[in-house]
Amino acid sequence: MRAAVYRSTGSAAEVLRIEDLPTPEPGPGQVRVRLVVSGVNPTDWRLRSGATAMAPVAGFQVPNQDGAGVVDAVGPGVDPARVGERVWLYLAAFGNPYGTAAEYTVVPQERAVPLPDGVAFDLGANLGVPALTAHRCLHADGPVEGRTVLVAGGAGAVGHFAIELARAAGATVVATVSGPEKAALATAAGAHHVVNYRSGDPAAEIRAAAPDGVDRIVEVALADNLALDLAVAAPHASIVTYAADAKQPALPVRELMVRNLVLRFMLLYSVPPDALARAVAEVSAALAEGVLTPLPAHRFTLDDTAAAHDAVQSGAVGKVLIDI
Ligand SMILES: NC(=O)c1ccc[n+]([C@@H]2O[C@H](COP(=O)([O-])OP(=O)(O)OC[C@H]3O[C@@H](n4cnc5c(N)ncnc54)[C@H](OP(=O)(O)O)[C@@H]3O)[C@@H](O)[C@H]2O)c1
């Protein structure tokens, strides 16, 4: 099969090559998926660059956690009726050399989730990392029905699904963005209120939309936004951080204590297994109900996997997809 491969970490241009690899055979409990679309996330370029480390499991790594395709073979212990099933994938490259930037991958069968009839492969390839992260950030501290959720960076991939899942779960959603293009994306995703965090008085605007304060904050930039979060958080609110940038926050402990706030951190790779299973099930249900949509796509070919990684690294607005 043709695959994008790296054998050491470094810049995309230096280490990513398109190679012919033996097509993998599914082992016990695994399915083999013929990929149609691979979705690229920040974690994919970070792992490839060496900025974050993951223990290597083979002498090579096909990058990318997310994708969508069709099951074409199953290993021992897997229902043969799954052959021909359309699926979306999550954590394909986690503990596995076969990520989704290739014609085929083999994954544990639970990481290949049925894609409902009529749902495009593109949407399937948008889901994995962003939608499961958004689900966990929203729901780790209890139901959000009737609550107010603040989604920082509402036009990002995680922010997009946080808005859609929160709204579908019955929350009032306030999203922050940096400008009009991103405001349009957050509004299209269903945010009830969209606030520019770079201009005017964002705390006052959020307070106007949520006079009693916000109950849950899905936070992409804790160090930058902690003061804003504290200015708008209701008593007992949770601030759930899923991104680690270089800047470290200074914690105003007393201020956090007085309102009994919860500061939670979330990494998809180590989410408790029951929470991950619940996220997969509830994202699937939302998909079947038609409440999830893809972000505008930036399309690349498999030959251009390095350029696709660079596009994500340079902050492409929307979703970077690779057509296999
Ligand atoms: N913990 C996990 O398991 C996990 C899972 C998924 C992603 N992540 C990490 O989370 C980050 C975002 O991922 P993504 O896929 O959603 O990326 P993305 O699609 O590039 O979105 C990031 C969004 O954050 C916004 N943003 C940046 N600084 C901000 C600030 N100070 N306040 C409000 N918004 C801000 C950006 O827009 P503006 O700059 O224009 O505001 C952009 O819309 C990445 O660092 C990624 O590695 C972690």
Side-chain angles (χ1 to χ4, degrees):
M1 67 171 183
R2 297 185 73 240
V5 178
Y6 60 94
R7 293 166 195 282
S8 59
T9 55
S11 75
E14 275 168 5
V15 302
L16 270 177
R17 297 282 173 266
I18 306 302
E19 296 185 6
D20 287 321
L21 291 181
T23 303
E25 292 299 327
Q30 291 186 326
V31 295
R32 185 171 67 195
V33 175
R34 180 179 58 76
L35 284 148
V36 177
V37 185
S38 173
V40 190
N41 290 286
T43 189
D44 300 315
W45 73 256
R46 288 216 169 94
L47 287 167
R48 187 225 65 235
S49 73
T52 50
M54 194 178 280
V57 290
F60 68 93
Q61 182 67 51
V62 176
N64 301 354
Q65 303 291 348
D66 295 348
V70 179
V71 174
D72 92 316
V74 301
V78 180
D79 183 355
R82 292 204 68 181
V83 173
E85 189 176 84
R86 301 166 75 253
V87 292
W88 61 277
L89 298 166
Y90 67 90
L91 297 182
F94 181 48
N96 181 19
Y98 296 106
T100 62
E103 290 174 328
Y104 295 90
T105 180
V106 288
V107 293
Q109 64 164 327
E110 66 276 9
R111 294 188 195 172
V113 190
L115 194 59
D117 287 343
V119 175
F121 289 117
D122 275 14
L123 177 51
N126 269 247
L127 296 175
V129 169
L132 299 178
T133 298
H135 181 282
R136 175 67 179 164
C137 290
L138 279 175
H139 295 292
D141 294 296
V144 294
E145 187 174 6
R147 300 301 195 85
T148 302
V149 172
L150 172 62
V151 178
V158 176
H160 173 77
F161 288 116
I163 293 170
E164 294 191 332
L165 290 169
R167 190 173 172 132
T172 298
V173 184
V174 185
T176 63
V177 295
S178 61
E181 183 191 11
K182 291 185 172 177
L185 286 173
T187 301
H192 297 90
H193 308 276
V194 178
V195 170
N196 187 325
Y197 71 88
R198 285 199 189 148
S199 66
D201 184 345
E205 287 182 50
I206 295 167
R207 276 273 173 202
D212 296 329
V214 302
D215 304 298
R216 200 71 41 93
I217 301 177
V218 180
E219 185 52 80
V220 69
L222 186 65
D224 285 343
N225 292 334
L226 185 54
L228 176 63
D229 294 348
L230 286 168
V232 301
H236 317 136
S238 295
I239 303 168
V240 188
T241 297
Y242 63 91
D245 50 27
K247 215 168 175 187
Q248 297 299 315
L251 287 188
V253 173
R254 176 115 201 121
E255 223 182 318
L256 286 155
M257 273 169 61
V258 165
R259 275 176 281 167
N260 277 270
L261 299 182
V262 173
L263 204 50
R264 177 184 284 278
F265 298 89
M266 182 276 164
L267 180 70
L268 187 62
Y269 296 117
S270 51
V271 159
D274 58 335
L276 182 61
R278 182 184 159 207
V280 171
E282 293 186 5
V283 165
S284 290
L287 195 58
E289 286 161 20
V291 299
L292 302 182
T293 63
L295 281 161
H298 302 273
R299 311 201 80 90
F300 292 81
T301 64
L302 184 60
D303 287 336
D304 286 330
T305 296
H309 271 212
D310 287 344
V312 175
Q313 184 168 358
S314 53
V317 181
K319 189 71 200 176
V320 171
L321 298 177
I322 299 172
D323 291 305
I324 308 296

